[in-house]
Amino acid sequence: MQSYSPNSPEDLGYSFSPYAPARFPEAEMKKLVLQFRNTMEERRSVRKFSPDPIPKEVVLNAIRTAASAPSGANKQPWSFCLISNPEIKSEIKVRAEEEEYKSYHGRMNQQWLEDLKPIGTNHEKPFLENAPYLIVVFKKVFSTKGAKKEQNYYVNESVGIATGFLLSALHIAGLSTLTHTPSPMNFLCEILKRPENERPYLVIPVGYAHADNQVPDIQRKPLEEVLSEYD
Ligand code: IYR
């Protein structure tokens, strides 16, 4: 039988300090959230990147932002690989295109291919070489403390939230991203020589959008379609 007594002083490993986030007048709150909404609604996935260099410090601060996300039991079950090395980018492109070729020519079912047709994606992934940086997000299925394995909790949820923070931070700095999902993507562990507790989660090319970049004129679902209210 497990024991759990979170309120006994010896179990409270952390010290606790006051936290009183700013409260704004209602008008200010409305303005702030609308500003953020407008900024985030402008974000679009970009598949054609300018080769122009981007400031590394901006990317590092975006990764710091991602690493500040909430996570199950504060295990922070993520790691980020930041890749600018052209040979490594090319190797990732070659391996991703091999997998994507197999996906587009047999692994995806007809409905999936139909759903992708309007977006016009295919197995070719030039952005993996053209974007100045690739960030590969890894999830840690368990943590290691020396030789000891430790459990992580809500790993997908935690890493998904961190990735949302990352995309938002890059976007508000004027950088474009794509959430690329080569599948399967275990080849990334090999190329990047990751430890055995890490699994690839997402590949994120980062850069300025190319001057010729075009995006499909998609629509976001209206609030009524995505929200159910229970007053
Ligand atoms: N992973 C493939 C296919 C793909 C899947 C979805 I869902 C997209 O929104 C876009 C593409 C690829 O990256 O091409």
Side-chain angles (χ1 to χ4, degrees):
M1 183 64 170
Q2 296 92 330
S3 78
Y4 182 67
S5 52
N7 296 322
S8 69
E10 61 273 19
D11 280 349
L12 287 175
Y14 293 111
S15 60
F16 283 69
S17 30
Y19 170 61
R23 286 175 66 151
F24 304 106
E26 209 172 297
E28 181 70 5
M29 291 169 81
K30 288 178 182 164
K31 200 182 85 190
L32 288 168
V33 76
L34 189 58
Q35 260 172 8
F36 190 65
R37 172 188 163 197
N38 289 337
T39 303
M40 291 311 297
E41 282 184 350
E42 273 168 21
R43 186 198 168 274
R44 297 300 307 270
S45 285
V46 160
R47 293 185 165 77
K48 194 168 179 188
F49 287 86
S50 155
D52 290 351
I54 60 172
K56 186 174 183 182
E57 186 56 26
V58 173
V59 181
L60 294 180
N61 271 329
I63 295 173
R64 287 186 181 103
T65 305
S68 75
S71 63
N74 191 36
K75 295 286 182 173
Q76 305 172 47
W78 43 62
S79 73
F80 304 90
C81 290
L82 179 59
I83 303 153
S84 59
N85 179 298
E87 283 88 47
I88 300 178
K89 287 198 286 181
S90 296
E91 211 181 326
I92 291 175
K93 176 177 179 280
V94 168
R95 299 287 297 275
E97 286 184 341
E98 277 170 17
E99 293 298 351
E100 288 299 279
Y101 186 90
K102 289 183 217 160
S103 295
Y104 280 88
H105 298 85
R107 282 200 289 236
M108 295 180 197
N109 64 23
Q110 201 53 42
Q111 185 58 55
W112 191 346
L113 291 170
E114 289 299 321
D115 282 339
L116 289 181
K117 243 187 220 166
I119 315 174
T121 56
N122 62 27
H123 71 279
E124 290 167 12
K125 306 296 170 191
F127 48 76
L128 292 173
E129 269 175 352
N130 298 342
Y133 283 107
L134 303 179
I135 301 174
V136 184
V137 182
F138 285 85
K139 63 179 181 185
K140 292 186 175 182
V141 287
F142 58 90
S143 287
T144 46
K145 254 213 180 123
K148 234 182 73 199
K149 284 185 185 181
E150 281 190 354
Q151 294 186 88
N152 287 335
Y153 308 95
Y154 303 104
V155 171
N156 283 317
E157 292 83 348
S158 304
V159 182
I161 295 166
T163 302
F165 278 29
L166 179 61
L167 297 174
S168 307
L170 292 165
H171 171 64
I172 61 165
L175 292 171
S176 290
T177 51
L178 176 67
T179 47
H180 177 44
T181 51
S183 176
M185 51 181 161
N186 17 4
F187 66 88
L188 292 162
C189 298
E190 264 170 61
I191 296 176
L192 301 170
K193 303 185 175 61
R194 301 313 298 169
E196 57 148 0
N197 60 329
E198 293 191 7
R199 305 282 178 279
Y201 185 80
L202 207 55
V203 181
I204 306 177
V206 186
Y208 297 116
H210 194 282
D212 298 340
N213 178 61
Q214 292 202 334
V215 293
D217 297 323
I218 54 162
Q219 294 302 316
R220 269 72 182 238
K221 291 177 185 172
L223 191 62
E224 307 76 70
E225 218 180 297
V226 298
L227 171 71
S228 308
E229 291 191 75
Y230 302 80
D231 290 328

Coordinates of all heavy atoms in Angstrom, one line a residue, residues 36 51 54 83 97 105 110 121 197 223 230:
F36 N -3.0 39.8 -28.1 CA -2.3 38.5 -28.2 C -3.0 37.7 -29.2 O -2.4 37.0 -30.0 CB -2.2 37.9 -26.8 CG -1.4 36.7 -26.8 CD1 0.0 36.8 -27.0 CD2 -1.9 35.4 -26.6 CE1 0.9 35.7 -27.0 CE2 -1.0 34.3 -26.6 CZ 0.3 34.4 -26.8
P51 N 17.0 32.0 -46.8 CA 18.3 31.5 -46.2 C 19.0 32.6 -45.4 O 20.0 32.3 -44.8 CB 19.2 31.2 -47.4 CG 18.6 32.0 -48.5 CD 17.2 32.3 -48.3
I54 N 19.4 34.4 -39.0 CA 18.6 35.0 -38.0 C 19.4 35.1 -36.7 O 20.3 34.3 -36.5 CB 17.3 34.1 -37.8 CG1 17.6 32.7 -37.3 CG2 16.4 34.1 -39.0 CD1 16.4 31.9 -36.9
I83 N 19.9 23.1 -34.6 CA 20.9 22.6 -35.6 C 21.0 23.7 -36.7 O 20.0 24.1 -37.3 CB 20.3 21.3 -36.3 CG1 20.1 20.3 -35.2 CG2 21.3 20.8 -37.4 CD1 19.0 19.3 -35.5
E97 N 13.0 12.6 -46.1 CA 12.4 12.5 -47.5 C 12.2 11.0 -47.8 O 11.2 10.6 -48.4 CB 13.2 13.2 -48.5 CG 13.0 14.7 -48.4 CD 13.7 15.5 -49.5 OE1 14.6 15.0 -50.2 OE2 13.3 16.7 -49.8
H105 N 3.6 7.3 -50.5 CA 3.4 6.3 -51.6 C 3.1 4.9 -50.9 O 3.6 3.9 -51.3 CB 4.7 6.1 -52.4 CG 4.9 7.4 -53.2 ND1 5.7 8.4 -52.7 CD2 4.6 7.8 -54.5 CE1 5.7 9.4 -53.6 NE2 5.1 9.1 -54.7
Q110 N -6.0 6.6 -48.3 CA -6.5 7.4 -49.3 C -7.1 8.7 -48.7 O -6.9 9.8 -49.2 CB -7.5 6.7 -50.1 CG -7.8 7.3 -51.5 CD -6.5 7.5 -52.3 OE1 -5.6 6.6 -52.3 NE2 -6.4 8.6 -53.0
T121 N 1.1 19.5 -50.0 CA 2.4 18.9 -49.5 C 2.8 17.6 -50.2 O 1.9 17.0 -50.8 CB 2.3 18.6 -48.0 OG1 1.3 17.7 -47.7 CG2 2.2 19.8 -47.1
N197 N 16.7 7.6 -23.4 CA 15.4 8.0 -22.9 C 14.7 9.0 -23.7 O 13.6 9.5 -23.4 CB 15.6 8.6 -21.5 CG 16.5 9.8 -21.4 OD1 17.4 9.9 -22.2 ND2 16.3 10.7 -20.5
L223 N -15.8 30.4 -33.2 CA -15.8 30.0 -31.8 C -17.0 29.1 -31.5 O -16.8 28.1 -30.8 CB -15.9 31.3 -31.0 CG -15.7 31.1 -29.5 CD1 -14.4 30.6 -29.1 CD2 -16.0 32.4 -28.7
Y230 N -20.9 25.9 -20.5 CA -21.8 25.3 -19.4 C -21.9 26.3 -18.3 O -21.0 26.3 -17.4 CB -21.1 24.0 -18.9 CG -20.9 22.9 -20.0 CD1 -19.8 23.0 -20.8 CD2 -21.8 21.9 -20.1 CE1 -19.6 22.1 -21.8 CE2 -21.6 20.9 -21.1 CZ -20.5 21.1 -22.0 OH -20.3 20.1 -23.0

